[in-house]
Amino acid sequence: MLRAYPLTLGVALLGTLVFAAQVAQPAVVGALQRSPDIVHGGQWWRLIGALLVQPSGWGQFAYNTLGLLLVGAAVERAYGRLRWLLVFLASGLAGGVFMLVLRPADSGGGSSDAVAGLIGALVVLAWRTRRLPPLPTLLYAAHFAVYLSVLAAWGVLAATVAGTLALAAAAAAHRAGLRRPLTAGLAALVLTAAVAMAVIGDAHGAGLLTGLALTALPLVRPPA
């Protein structure tokens, strides 16, 4: 596993260590997260630091780490390490800059914008190859797109219902062997969620769009 997915496992381990540090010492969050100090104090390194902390706690850490492992492994296997790193960092930074432009007085953090970029790369890969990712990875990507876009628009209750329905529909379609409709549906779902969240002002939209756009370029395409 370590030889096959060194970046995915390494970043997941780093995030786990930083989360353990923030649980032991909550001041770690304030020291690393995105904040007005980026603009007023020139602390631009916080755009990277914000990817390492999970200000919302255990739920955010668990969800983001699960996505990193499931989606990250599939993307690293297909695209290689350098392309993986480019998508991860570019998408995470895009989400941070997006929020900095929209709401420069806000604070925040989390690796979900970077995970969103990896999902965008996964969708482009599935579309090009006409091959679906493993079922757990597929379910996570579908849930991420639906849950977070509905959450941004209508809140937790609606997002929970919509996310559950998305999981059930994707699992049923996979079980029925509807691979081509699932591939097209996943691409449409993620693209729609990306645009909707960007319009609403949710940073996950910027992350998804960055991952989609980058992997549409020849430079970041998976090796033949």
Side-chain angles (χ1 to χ4, degrees):
M1 287 289 290
L2 185 59
R3 289 180 178 179
Y5 314 115
L7 278 178
T8 296
L9 295 178
V11 172
L13 176 60
L14 177 60
T16 300
L17 293 175
V18 173
F19 183 73
Q22 82 172 57
V23 170
Q25 181 53 260
V28 169
V29 175
L32 294 177
Q33 71 178 347
R34 186 185 73 252
S35 79
D37 292 329
I38 292 177
V39 175
H40 301 306
Q43 297 179 12
W44 296 99
W45 54 267
R46 284 181 177 270
L47 290 172
I48 295 293
L51 300 176
L52 300 175
V53 292
Q54 312 291 340
S56 297
W58 285 97
Q60 185 183 30
F61 165 73
Y63 192 71
N64 289 347
T65 303
L66 177 64
L68 175 61
L69 292 172
L70 289 176
V71 181
V75 171
E76 187 171 359
R77 181 173 63 246
Y79 286 88
R81 298 168 191 173
L82 289 179
R83 293 173 177 87
W84 187 101
L85 189 61
L86 175 61
V87 171
F88 183 87
L89 289 178
S91 302
L93 289 172
V97 171
F98 183 78
M99 294 309 295
L100 197 61
V101 170
L102 284 185
R103 292 190 281 274
D106 286 359
S107 297
S111 57
S112 55
D113 298 339
V115 172
L118 294 176
I119 290 173
L122 182 78
V123 167
V124 172
L125 176 68
W127 180 261
R128 282 203 172 113
T129 63
R130 293 295 189 268
R131 292 197 301 268
L132 287 172
L135 180 58
T137 306
L138 169 69
L139 294 178
Y140 183 91
H143 186 270
F144 185 101
V146 172
Y147 180 84
L148 291 178
S149 58
V150 175
L151 179 67
W154 293 296
V156 175
L157 181 58
T160 301
V161 173
T164 303
L165 291 175
L167 287 176
H174 188 275
R175 190 163 50 246
L178 304 176
R179 294 186 175 274
R180 287 190 177 181
L182 254 180
T183 302
L186 181 64
L189 179 65
V190 169
L191 181 59
T192 301
V195 173
M197 285 191 280
V199 170
I200 292 170
D202 188 295
H204 299 106
L208 284 171
L209 288 172
T210 300
L212 289 166
L214 274 178
T215 47
L217 299 173
L219 179 65
V220 196
R221 289 179 181 174

